[in-house]
Amino acid sequence: MDLKNIDCRHFKGDKPCRFSQNKMCLPFQNQDCPAFEPIEKMTLIIKLGALGDVLRTTTLLPALKKNDPHGSIVWLTSPAAVPLLENSGVYKVLPWNLDSVLWAENVQWNRVISLDKEEGPTTLASRARASRRYGFGRNKHGLLIPLSRASEYLFLLGIDDQEKFRINKKTYPHLIAEACDLEWGPNPYVLNLSEKEINWGNSIIPNSKEHPHIGLNVGSGEAFAGKKWPMENFVKLAQQLTNEGFVPVFLGGAKEKDLYEKLKNEGKAPGLFPGCEFSLREFMAIVSKLKAMVAGDTLAMHIGIALGVWQVTLFGSTTEREIEFYGKGEALVENIPCAPCYKRVCPTKEECMSKISVERVFEAIKRGLNNRW
Ligand code: SF4
């Protein structure tokens, strides 16, 4: 056995293999191993954040699988995003840290895909040993560059607002597939819940055919202004939904805890308040129980899309152009001259969101449910 060429994905090296009953690896004993699985055509995906962007980058996985059915995909991501990639079929999900970066630098990659723009990930993409590179890297002056001809349009969208906000009609999953020279299917998000997670979701949101559960996500993240729909609108919507036989389910993240608790304790908004401090996987299990969800352009929206839950998404400071709903959602946008602004702080009063009426949102929910029931 030539250790330089050992290529079984179960080989540990520092301990006995579980497939050899904790004895020496079978090929070392000149025996065939029934569990042998070669590591073939290795692809490195570097996509650290944001969480919603990581989730929508999973749309590359089906296309990569089609290209290399036995290929091995390794994904370097932010520690917070690691749970998003559980059960995704990725060979290794590595948190971004020095160990992972050093390990990745030593591997001979068949393909490197780099979709962040920060210095660290893009520099790794340019330094890693690879036959093909896609996405973004760094040149010898340390400047951001597209790594292939196929990735040039994606690069251009980052430096041309007119192209990004007015001309481009392709969604982000479509753009990244093309930027990586992969087929655009359309390829779905990959988010697989385990049976245990699904059962846990059932214990929080019971099944009800007569009274569909509608998620109202009050969370908005902190990166941009213009993602928050006024709370009084959520309350009015909850009242309207309840009157029509739906069950509103209020959702949010740990950052919205105070707001969420206030809303719950005031008692003006009818519906379920399952809590707002769940783990990512628990949050996903809850969303999987919904028939529709109202949210801003947030991680919650991406989770809903991934799980095939009808989305009514309110867009303010960011563009709806790059969101792929796969026919299971609607983007509600007000015609405001300053939008999309991608500003952190709104110079006015976030009219881009507040002007979206409760009635409009309610009608969009009903359209989705009627189309599917
Ligand atoms: S500047 Fe305009 S688009 Fe941006 S957050 Fe304010 S109202 Fe919305």
Side-chain angles (χ1 to χ4, degrees):
M1 171 64 60
D2 181 354
L3 277 172
K4 279 205 302 285
N5 295 322
I6 188 104
D7 64 347
C8 176
R9 54 164 72 199
H10 303 300
F11 186 74
K12 294 266 182 263
D14 59 345
K15 54 179 81 134
C17 175
R18 65 193 165 103
F19 293 105
S20 63
Q21 276 78 43
N22 290 334
K23 296 202 183 97
M24 196 189 283
C25 174
L26 292 171
F28 283 20
Q29 304 172 54
N30 293 323
Q31 292 175 39
D32 286 339
C33 176
F36 172 72
E37 268 189 85
I39 298 172
E40 289 177 7
K41 293 197 174 170
M42 293 183 78
T43 293
L44 174 65
I45 299 178
I46 308 172
K47 180 69 190 159
L48 276 60
L51 297 183
D53 280 342
V54 171
L55 194 51
R56 65 179 170 173
T57 302
T58 60
T59 53
L60 291 178
L61 298 176
L64 286 166
K65 178 101 184 147
K66 199 168 172 194
N67 258 28
D68 304 323
H70 304 292
S72 301
I73 298 168
V74 175
W75 195 316
L76 255 174
T77 193
S78 64
V82 169
L84 291 172
L85 300 169
E86 272 175 33
N87 283 343
S88 60
V90 170
Y91 165 49
K92 266 179 193 284
V93 179
L94 297 174
W96 177 261
N97 58 33
L98 183 61
D99 273 8
S100 304
V101 169
L102 290 174
W103 179 86
E105 277 195 338
N106 183 51
V107 173
Q108 178 61 53
W109 300 99
N110 188 255
R111 184 195 280 115
V112 167
I113 294 172
S114 154
L115 294 170
D116 287 318
K117 290 182 177 170
E118 285 75 14
E119 281 85 353
T122 45
T123 302
L124 173 64
S126 289
R127 283 167 61 105
R129 298 188 294 168
S131 314
R132 287 173 288 164
R133 291 169 219 272
Y134 302 98
F136 312 119
R138 295 272 154 184
N139 70 10
K140 63 180 179 181
H141 304 293
L143 300 176
L144 191 71
I145 52 163
L147 285 171
S148 68
R149 192 160 283 281
S151 308
E152 284 176 2
Y153 185 63
L154 193 62
F155 181 82
L156 176 86
L157 287 179
I159 52 176
D160 184 341
D161 280 355
Q162 176 69 5
E163 190 71 37
K164 184 172 175 74
F165 301 141
R166 315 276 173 225
I167 299 172
N168 171 51
K169 289 201 168 57
K170 291 178 184 168
T171 62
Y172 182 80
H174 189 164
L175 288 166
I176 57 172
E178 287 187 352
C180 298
D181 251 339
L182 293 167
E183 210 174 279
W184 169 239
N187 309 318
Y189 287 48
V190 176
L191 197 175
N192 299 315
L193 293 171
S194 68
E195 208 180 314
K196 195 171 157 205
E197 288 166 337
I198 292 168
N199 290 338
W200 182 86
N202 290 339
S203 72
I204 302 291
I205 311 278
N207 285 326
S208 172
K209 278 206 172 125
E210 300 77 42
H211 302 289
H213 290 92
I214 313 296
L216 305 183
N217 187 62
V218 300
S220 57
E222 288 174 339
F224 299 106
K227 286 202 177 192
K228 219 180 272 162
W229 204 37
M231 204 47 81
E232 59 269 25
N233 288 5
F234 275 114
V235 174
K236 277 189 205 152
L237 179 62
Q239 288 162 346
Q240 203 162 345
L241 287 167
T242 309
N243 292 343
E244 299 259 344
F246 300 105
V247 181
V249 180
F250 282 87
L251 303 169
K255 286 185 187 129
E256 290 85 34
K257 189 164 183 266
D258 291 348
L259 189 71
Y260 189 92
E261 292 298 330
K262 186 166 173 268
L263 193 62
K264 183 179 165 184
N265 296 333
E266 276 174 357
K268 289 186 197 153
L272 296 181
F273 285 81
C276 61
E277 290 185 289
F278 294 110
S279 71
L280 257 183
R281 302 292 301 184
E282 286 170 341
F283 186 80
M284 291 169 174
I286 290 174
V287 172
S288 74
K289 299 294 302 171
L290 304 172
K291 295 293 181 240
M293 181 157 76
V294 178
D297 177 9
T298 56
L299 171 63
M301 173 199 72
H302 287 292
I303 291 172
I305 292 173
L307 292 166
V309 175
W310 176 260
Q311 293 302 298
V312 177
T313 308
L314 288 64
F315 287 88
S317 63
T318 58
T319 179
E320 79 290 2
R321 286 176 173 259
E322 293 180 10
I323 305 298
E324 177 62 66
F325 286 111
Y326 303 92
K328 290 183 181 170
E330 286 189 22
L332 303 187
V333 189
E334 275 300 307
N335 196 6
I336 299 260
C338 50
C341 70
Y342 282 84
K343 286 191 171 133
R344 211 167 257 278
V345 179
C346 175
T348 60
K349 290 188 178 154
E350 302 195 8
E351 295 88 347
C352 53
M353 287 297 264
S354 61
K355 286 202 164 171
I356 301 176
S357 72
V358 174
E359 202 48 48
R360 215 175 141 200
V361 175
F362 185 64
E363 290 304 319
I365 295 171
K366 286 209 298 190
R367 267 194 299 280
L369 298 181
N370 289 341
N371 289 344
R372 299 175 72 207
W373 274 269

